[in-house]
Tab-separated table of all heavy atoms in Angstrom:
chain	number	residue	atom	x	y	z
R	385	GLY	N	4.795	3.765	16.526
R	385	GLY	CA	4.815	4.995	15.782
R	385	GLY	C	3.906	6.035	16.433
R	385	GLY	O	3.152	5.754	17.338
R	386	PRO	N	3.808	7.262	15.858
R	386	PRO	CA	3.025	8.297	16.451
R	386	PRO	C	1.519	7.933	16.537
R	386	PRO	O	0.890	8.382	17.483
R	386	PRO	CB	3.273	9.516	15.522
R	386	PRO	CG	4.343	9.189	14.615
R	386	PRO	CD	4.647	7.674	14.710
R	387	CYS	N	1.033	7.199	15.665
R	387	CYS	CA	-0.500	6.921	15.647
R	387	CYS	C	-0.877	5.472	15.699
R	387	CYS	O	-2.058	5.121	15.538
R	387	CYS	CB	-1.153	7.550	14.352
R	387	CYS	SG	-0.883	9.342	14.282
R	388	ASN	N	0.052	4.530	15.903
R	388	ASN	CA	-0.256	3.107	15.862
R	388	ASN	C	-1.452	2.764	16.772
R	388	ASN	O	-2.406	2.104	16.360
R	388	ASN	CB	0.874	2.226	16.313
R	388	ASN	CG	2.046	2.286	15.278
R	388	ASN	OD1	2.604	3.367	15.153
R	388	ASN	ND2	2.421	1.154	14.719
R	389	LYS	N	-1.426	3.236	17.987
R	389	LYS	CA	-2.429	2.871	18.964
R	389	LYS	C	-3.801	3.479	18.571
R	389	LYS	O	-4.826	2.773	18.601
R	389	LYS	CB	-2.045	3.305	20.331
R	389	LYS	CG	-0.867	2.415	20.835
R	389	LYS	CD	-0.341	2.692	22.171
R	389	LYS	CE	0.868	1.798	22.522
R	389	LYS	NZ	1.995	2.049	21.570
R	390	GLU	N	-3.713	4.667	18.122
R	390	GLU	CA	-5.008	5.393	17.675
R	390	GLU	C	-5.641	4.654	16.482
R	390	GLU	O	-6.825	4.448	16.365
R	390	GLU	CB	-4.549	6.780	17.188
R	390	GLU	CG	-5.681	7.765	17.015
R	390	GLU	CD	-5.130	9.101	16.442
R	390	GLU	OE1	-4.071	9.518	16.963
R	390	GLU	OE2	-5.730	9.579	15.447
R	391	ARG	N	-4.773	4.221	15.523
R	391	ARG	CA	-5.338	3.488	14.360
R	391	ARG	C	-5.944	2.182	14.785
R	391	ARG	O	-7.051	1.845	14.250
R	391	ARG	CB	-4.188	3.221	13.339
R	391	ARG	CG	-3.492	4.482	12.812
R	391	ARG	CD	-4.335	5.311	11.898
R	391	ARG	NE	-3.645	6.447	11.398
R	391	ARG	CZ	-3.898	7.725	11.644
R	391	ARG	NH1	-4.879	8.036	12.348
R	391	ARG	NH2	-3.083	8.645	11.113
R	392	LEU	N	-5.252	1.464	15.614
R	392	LEU	CA	-5.808	0.111	15.984
R	392	LEU	C	-7.132	0.330	16.755
R	392	LEU	O	-8.065	-0.427	16.547
R	392	LEU	CB	-4.805	-0.669	16.798
R	392	LEU	CG	-3.819	-1.486	16.023
R	392	LEU	CD1	-3.133	-2.517	16.939
R	392	LEU	CD2	-4.506	-2.227	14.854
R	393	LYS	N	-7.175	1.298	17.584
R	393	LYS	CA	-8.407	1.580	18.373
R	393	LYS	C	-9.547	1.927	17.429
R	393	LYS	O	-10.612	1.364	17.491
R	393	LYS	CB	-8.142	2.795	19.292
R	393	LYS	CG	-9.265	3.091	20.293
R	393	LYS	CD	-8.701	4.057	21.341
R	393	LYS	CE	-9.932	4.522	22.288
R	393	LYS	NZ	-10.700	5.584	21.706
R	394	ALA	N	-9.262	2.777	16.367
R	394	ALA	CA	-10.299	3.143	15.452
R	394	ALA	C	-10.772	1.942	14.646
R	394	ALA	O	-11.930	1.778	14.436
R	394	ALA	CB	-9.783	4.226	14.512
R	395	ARG	N	-9.851	1.051	14.241
R	395	ARG	CA	-10.224	-0.108	13.471
R	395	ARG	C	-11.039	-1.079	14.294
R	395	ARG	O	-12.074	-1.612	13.882
R	395	ARG	CB	-8.981	-0.909	13.023
R	395	ARG	CG	-8.366	-0.546	11.670
R	395	ARG	CD	-9.364	-0.631	10.479
R	395	ARG	NE	-10.189	-1.779	10.594
R	395	ARG	CZ	-11.361	-1.927	10.055
R	395	ARG	NH1	-11.912	-1.015	9.320
R	395	ARG	NH2	-12.053	-3.015	10.080
R	396	ASN	N	-10.638	-1.252	15.597
R	396	ASN	CA	-11.415	-2.199	16.426
R	396	ASN	C	-12.864	-1.631	16.700
R	396	ASN	O	-13.810	-2.383	16.681
R	396	ASN	CB	-10.688	-2.360	17.770
R	396	ASN	CG	-9.683	-3.471	17.735
R	396	ASN	OD1	-10.049	-4.644	17.622
R	396	ASN	ND2	-8.393	-3.208	17.705
R	397	GLU	N	-12.960	-0.358	16.859
R	397	GLU	CA	-14.295	0.246	17.087
R	397	GLU	C	-15.160	0.155	15.839
R	397	GLU	O	-16.304	-0.223	15.928
R	397	GLU	CB	-14.170	1.758	17.475
R	397	GLU	CG	-13.822	1.916	18.932
R	397	GLU	CD	-13.433	3.304	19.330
R	397	GLU	OE1	-13.653	4.279	18.472
R	397	GLU	OE2	-12.921	3.541	20.440
R	398	ALA	N	-14.501	0.399	14.684
R	398	ALA	CA	-15.312	0.280	13.392
R	398	ALA	C	-15.760	-1.141	13.228
R	398	ALA	O	-16.917	-1.372	12.800
R	398	ALA	CB	-14.418	0.692	12.285
R	399	HIS	N	-14.944	-2.137	13.548
R	399	HIS	CA	-15.294	-3.463	13.366
R	399	HIS	C	-16.486	-3.891	14.292
R	399	HIS	O	-17.445	-4.476	13.914
R	399	HIS	CB	-14.087	-4.408	13.707
R	399	HIS	CG	-14.336	-5.838	13.293
R	399	HIS	ND1	-14.392	-6.227	11.889
R	399	HIS	CD2	-14.384	-6.965	14.003
R	399	HIS	CE1	-14.582	-7.508	11.863
R	399	HIS	NE2	-14.660	-7.982	13.050
R	400	LYS	N	-16.346	-3.374	15.541
R	400	LYS	CA	-17.435	-3.701	16.542
R	400	LYS	C	-18.733	-3.034	16.125
R	400	LYS	O	-19.811	-3.623	16.131
R	400	LYS	CB	-16.987	-3.164	17.897
R	400	LYS	CG	-17.825	-3.608	19.013
R	400	LYS	CD	-17.044	-3.460	20.388
R	400	LYS	CE	-17.999	-3.673	21.513
R	400	LYS	NZ	-18.932	-2.583	21.710
R	401	ASN	N	-18.643	-1.772	15.660
R	401	ASN	CA	-19.830	-1.059	15.258
R	401	ASN	C	-20.508	-1.662	14.038
R	401	ASN	O	-21.657	-1.454	13.712
R	401	ASN	CB	-19.562	0.391	14.952
R	401	ASN	CG	-19.187	1.137	16.264
R	401	ASN	OD1	-19.565	0.648	17.386
R	401	ASN	ND2	-18.496	2.284	16.177
R	402	GLY	N	-19.737	-2.403	13.265
R	402	GLY	CA	-20.241	-2.972	12.020
R	402	GLY	C	-20.808	-4.384	12.239
R	402	GLY	O	-21.259	-5.010	11.260
R	403	GLU	N	-20.799	-4.874	13.470
R	403	GLU	CA	-21.245	-6.234	13.749
R	403	GLU	C	-22.694	-6.453	13.257
R	403	GLU	O	-22.928	-7.514	12.650
R	403	GLU	CB	-21.171	-6.448	15.257
R	403	GLU	CG	-21.060	-7.919	15.629
R	403	GLU	CD	-20.629	-8.111	17.050
R	403	GLU	OE1	-20.072	-7.215	17.686
R	403	GLU	OE2	-20.938	-9.203	17.624
R	404	TRP	N	-23.572	-5.468	13.503
R	404	TRP	CA	-25.011	-5.746	13.125
R	404	TRP	C	-25.147	-5.826	11.651
R	404	TRP	O	-25.983	-6.553	11.173
R	404	TRP	CB	-25.883	-4.618	13.736
R	404	TRP	CG	-25.647	-3.255	13.089
R	404	TRP	CD1	-24.776	-2.300	13.508
R	404	TRP	CD2	-26.405	-2.692	11.976
R	404	TRP	NE1	-24.828	-1.188	12.739
R	404	TRP	CE2	-25.835	-1.469	11.771
R	404	TRP	CE3	-27.358	-3.165	11.140
R	404	TRP	CZ2	-26.300	-0.606	10.738
R	404	TRP	CZ3	-27.854	-2.346	10.149
R	404	TRP	CH2	-27.282	-1.085	9.908
R	405	VAL	N	-24.266	-5.115	10.913
R	405	VAL	CA	-24.315	-5.160	9.442
R	405	VAL	C	-23.948	-6.554	8.979
R	405	VAL	O	-24.575	-7.151	8.080
R	405	VAL	CB	-23.399	-4.124	8.726
R	405	VAL	CG1	-23.497	-4.178	7.245
R	405	VAL	CG2	-23.731	-2.715	9.280
R	406	ARG	N	-22.850	-7.102	9.525
R	406	ARG	CA	-22.368	-8.429	9.145
R	406	ARG	C	-23.423	-9.440	9.502
R	406	ARG	O	-23.712	-10.356	8.695
R	406	ARG	CB	-21.032	-8.758	9.841
R	406	ARG	CG	-19.871	-8.001	9.357
R	406	ARG	CD	-18.517	-8.488	9.825
R	406	ARG	NE	-18.382	-8.424	11.253
R	406	ARG	CZ	-18.021	-7.328	11.930
R	406	ARG	NH1	-17.866	-6.160	11.306
R	406	ARG	NH2	-17.943	-7.332	13.297
R	407	GLU	N	-24.037	-9.332	10.665
R	407	GLU	CA	-25.072	-10.274	11.100
R	407	GLU	C	-26.262	-10.233	10.112
R	407	GLU	O	-26.748	-11.288	9.702
R	407	GLU	CB	-25.623	-9.932	12.494
R	407	GLU	CG	-24.847	-10.729	13.565
R	407	GLU	CD	-25.198	-10.279	14.991
R	407	GLU	OE1	-26.272	-9.679	15.167
R	407	GLU	OE2	-24.364	-10.497	15.857
R	408	ALA	N	-26.700	-9.011	9.728
R	408	ALA	CA	-27.833	-8.870	8.849
R	408	ALA	C	-27.517	-9.438	7.496
R	408	ALA	O	-28.321	-10.158	6.899
R	408	ALA	CB	-28.209	-7.431	8.765
R	409	ALA	N	-26.279	-9.241	7.025
R	409	ALA	CA	-25.916	-9.696	5.688
R	409	ALA	C	-25.897	-11.262	5.675
R	409	ALA	O	-26.316	-11.890	4.709
R	409	ALA	CB	-24.534	-9.140	5.257
R	410	THR	N	-25.331	-11.798	6.833
R	410	THR	CA	-25.230	-13.250	6.882
R	410	THR	C	-26.656	-13.862	6.997
R	410	THR	O	-26.972	-14.956	6.341
R	410	THR	CB	-24.417	-13.707	8.144
R	410	THR	OG1	-23.342	-12.855	8.255
R	410	THR	CG2	-23.904	-15.143	8.055
R	411	ALA	N	-27.502	-13.301	7.750
R	411	ALA	CA	-28.876	-13.764	7.901
R	411	ALA	C	-29.577	-13.728	6.563
R	411	ALA	O	-30.338	-14.674	6.193
R	411	ALA	CB	-29.651	-12.949	8.941
R	412	TYR	N	-29.399	-12.654	5.807
R	412	TYR	CA	-30.073	-12.547	4.527
R	412	TYR	C	-29.576	-13.545	3.583
R	412	TYR	O	-30.347	-14.241	2.894
R	412	TYR	CB	-29.754	-11.100	3.929
R	412	TYR	CG	-30.368	-10.891	2.573
R	412	TYR	CD1	-31.688	-10.645	2.344
R	412	TYR	CD2	-29.576	-10.941	1.430
R	412	TYR	CE1	-32.274	-10.508	1.165
R	412	TYR	CE2	-30.054	-10.751	0.169
R	412	TYR	CZ	-31.465	-10.570	0.009
R	412	TYR	OH	-32.003	-10.361	-1.275
R	413	ALA	N	-28.243	-13.823	3.481
R	413	ALA	CA	-27.623	-14.833	2.615
R	413	ALA	C	-28.202	-16.250	2.979
R	413	ALA	O	-28.545	-17.025	2.057
R	413	ALA	CB	-26.123	-14.765	2.752
R	414	LYS	N	-28.311	-16.430	4.323
R	414	LYS	CA	-28.797	-17.769	4.794
R	414	LYS	C	-30.303	-17.957	4.307
R	414	LYS	O	-30.738	-18.988	3.833
R	414	LYS	CB	-28.716	-17.799	6.387
R	414	LYS	CG	-28.914	-19.178	6.925
R	414	LYS	CD	-28.447	-19.192	8.370
R	414	LYS	CE	-28.959	-20.438	9.021
R	414	LYS	NZ	-29.958	-20.161	10.033
R	415	HIS	N	-31.037	-16.924	4.502
R	415	HIS	CA	-32.457	-16.914	4.151
R	415	HIS	C	-32.579	-17.191	2.620
R	415	HIS	O	-33.374	-18.044	2.215
R	415	HIS	CB	-33.101	-15.562	4.496
R	415	HIS	CG	-34.460	-15.405	3.986
R	415	HIS	ND1	-35.541	-16.171	4.498
R	415	HIS	CD2	-34.994	-14.599	3.063
R	415	HIS	CE1	-36.700	-15.732	3.924
R	415	HIS	NE2	-36.341	-14.842	2.960
R	416	GLN	N	-31.794	-16.506	1.826
R	416	GLN	CA	-31.862	-16.745	0.344
R	416	GLN	C	-31.496	-18.215	-0.010
R	416	GLN	O	-32.162	-18.757	-0.865
R	416	GLN	CB	-30.817	-15.799	-0.364
R	416	GLN	CG	-31.213	-14.297	-0.362
R	416	GLN	CD	-32.550	-14.063	-1.114
R	416	GLN	OE1	-33.612	-13.890	-0.488
R	416	GLN	NE2	-32.498	-14.131	-2.450
R	417	ASN	N	-30.450	-18.670	0.656
R	417	ASN	CA	-30.069	-20.108	0.426
R	417	ASN	C	-31.161	-21.066	0.720
R	417	ASN	O	-31.471	-21.928	-0.086
R	417	ASN	CB	-28.869	-20.454	1.377
R	417	ASN	CG	-27.574	-20.351	0.603
R	417	ASN	OD1	-27.586	-20.335	-0.622
R	417	ASN	ND2	-26.490	-20.359	1.371
R	418	GLU	N	-31.781	-20.875	1.883
R	418	GLU	CA	-32.941	-21.716	2.307
R	418	GLU	C	-34.055	-21.694	1.280
R	418	GLU	O	-34.657	-22.682	0.879
R	418	GLU	CB	-33.449	-21.331	3.694
R	418	GLU	CG	-32.454	-21.857	4.730
R	418	GLU	CD	-32.676	-21.227	6.137
R	418	GLU	OE1	-33.599	-20.437	6.285
R	418	GLU	OE2	-31.961	-21.584	7.059
R	419	LYS	N	-34.378	-20.472	0.780
R	419	LYS	CA	-35.465	-20.300	-0.194
R	419	LYS	C	-35.101	-21.036	-1.473
R	419	LYS	O	-35.919	-21.710	-2.072
R	419	LYS	CB	-35.542	-18.757	-0.507
R	419	LYS	CG	-36.922	-18.245	-0.076
R	419	LYS	CD	-37.099	-16.787	-0.233
R	419	LYS	CE	-36.833	-16.176	-1.605
R	419	LYS	NZ	-36.955	-14.736	-1.639
R	420	ASN	N	-33.778	-20.941	-1.890
R	420	ASN	CA	-33.339	-21.600	-3.150
R	420	ASN	C	-33.480	-23.105	-2.994
R	420	ASN	O	-33.868	-23.796	-3.932
R	420	ASN	CB	-31.924	-21.242	-3.452
R	420	ASN	CG	-31.791	-19.850	-3.962
R	420	ASN	OD1	-32.818	-19.209	-4.338
R	420	ASN	ND2	-30.621	-19.241	-3.951
R	421	ILE	N	-33.066	-23.651	-1.804
R	421	ILE	CA	-33.163	-25.079	-1.577
R	421	ILE	C	-34.593	-25.568	-1.603
R	421	ILE	O	-34.966	-26.571	-2.269
R	421	ILE	CB	-32.381	-25.518	-0.260
R	421	ILE	CG1	-30.908	-25.260	-0.408
R	421	ILE	CG2	-32.760	-26.909	0.104
R	421	ILE	CD1	-30.181	-25.296	0.932
Side-chain angles (χ1 to χ4, degrees):
C387 298
N388 294 60
K389 290 181 183 60
E390 191 185 318
R391 300 290 182 245
L392 272 195
K393 184 168 176 279
R395 269 305 318 156
N396 272 290
E397 278 170 13
H399 192 68
K400 191 162 170 285
N401 293 338
E403 200 167 340
W404 69 271
V405 181
R406 291 191 297 281
E407 268 172 21
T410 317
Y412 177 74
K414 192 166 165 248
H415 172 70
Q416 289 297 103
N417 259 346
E418 284 166 0
K419 245 174 55 182
N420 288 344
I421 291 167

